[in-house]
Amino acid sequence: MKAMILAAGRGERLRPLTDTTPKPLLRAGGKPLVVWHLERLATAGWREVVINHAHLGERIEAALGDGSAFGLRIDYSPEPAGALETAGGIAAALPLLGEQPFLVLNGDIWCDWDVARARRIACAPDQRRAHLVLVDNPPHHPGGDFRLNGESELVRPAVSSREDALTYAGIGIFWPEFFSGVAAGTKMKLRPLLDEGIANAVVTGERLHGHWVDVGTIARLGELNQQLGDAR
């Protein structure tokens, strides 16, 4: 099973830091955000990782190399200026990801979700084509994205009048055919595909009760750095 780390975003809300450093290379707890992902993946037995990039992508490749320093092999999926959004970026990387389900991680998050779970989910004998990790709504996203339909684990859209809305954590397991309708090079967000998959009852999910941070602003990066520093 391969993993993909999404690293193509510009990081506007993290400027001026991201004027010279791509988001995944910003440091927290003494190491770049992307390195936390790589080390967790290697520890859990991963050997092949795909990383897409656009803004300052050459710096990502220079910093991480071929992945051998982490016990991994890293393949890169370069995108044009402005990037291809999430669904477009994954679709463009499908030739590198192969024919089996794969794990996708946003490069600008920090979490302690057990990545080894991805293999068990991918082997489940059911009709799912995507599985999302959801978290309690953070202060900057109070309305959430989705909700879970009881014990079935099926994902449903969030409803404003309900209190069970959850936020997509930027962690998912996907089957290649989930992106079969997205032509390589197309710029496309992930949400339309998720909405279609939810309507067809092929998207499941789970709730993460651990530590998760969306490092979208300088303030949240500083908070995470302090938390990780205090934990050492």
Side-chain angles (χ1 to χ4, degrees), residues 38 46-51 58-76:
L38 294 173
W46 257 261
R47 292 297 174 262
E48 297 180 83
V49 176
V50 175
I51 299 177
E58 69 284 355
R59 299 198 176 189
I60 294 176
E61 293 198 25
L64 305 179
D66 63 3
S68 58
F70 309 99
L72 299 165
R73 189 189 81 191
I74 298 177
D75 290 314
Y76 295 96

Side-chain angles (χ1 to χ4, degrees), residues 122-209:
C123 293
D126 53 34
Q127 298 303 309
R128 80 181 93 189
R129 289 297 172 264
H131 183 86
L132 310 180
V133 177
L134 308 175
V135 296
D136 292 341
N137 300 329
H140 62 274
H141 192 59
D145 302 306
F146 307 107
R147 58 189 175 89
L148 292 173
N149 187 25
E151 296 181 359
S152 70
E153 292 189 334
L154 286 174
V155 171
R156 293 287 182 254
V159 178
S160 58
S161 61
R162 296 176 62 114
E163 297 181 353
D164 55 358
L166 298 168
T167 292
Y168 176 48
I171 306 168
I173 296 91
F174 297 95
W175 280 245
E177 53 265 37
F178 193 73
F179 301 91
S180 60
V182 184
T186 300
K187 188 173 185 177
M188 184 176 180
K189 295 181 180 296
L190 182 60
R191 185 60 190 258
L193 287 185
L194 291 176
D195 288 341
E196 181 181 355
I198 288 169
N200 293 326
V202 296
V203 180
T204 59
E206 64 182 74
R207 187 174 186 172
L208 169 65
H209 295 282

Side-chain angles (χ1 to χ4, degrees), residues 4 50 52 76-80 84-97 179 182-186:
M4 181 174 185
V50 175
N52 69 336
Y76 295 96
S77 181
E79 297 179 16
L84 299 175
E85 300 285 1
T86 301
I90 295 173
L94 287 178
L96 297 173
L97 291 166
F179 301 91
V182 184
T186 300

Side-chain angles (χ1 to χ4, degrees), residues 114-126:
D114 179 11
V115 294
R117 280 188 47 74
R119 288 195 178 90
R120 298 192 289 273
I121 293 164
C123 293
D126 53 34

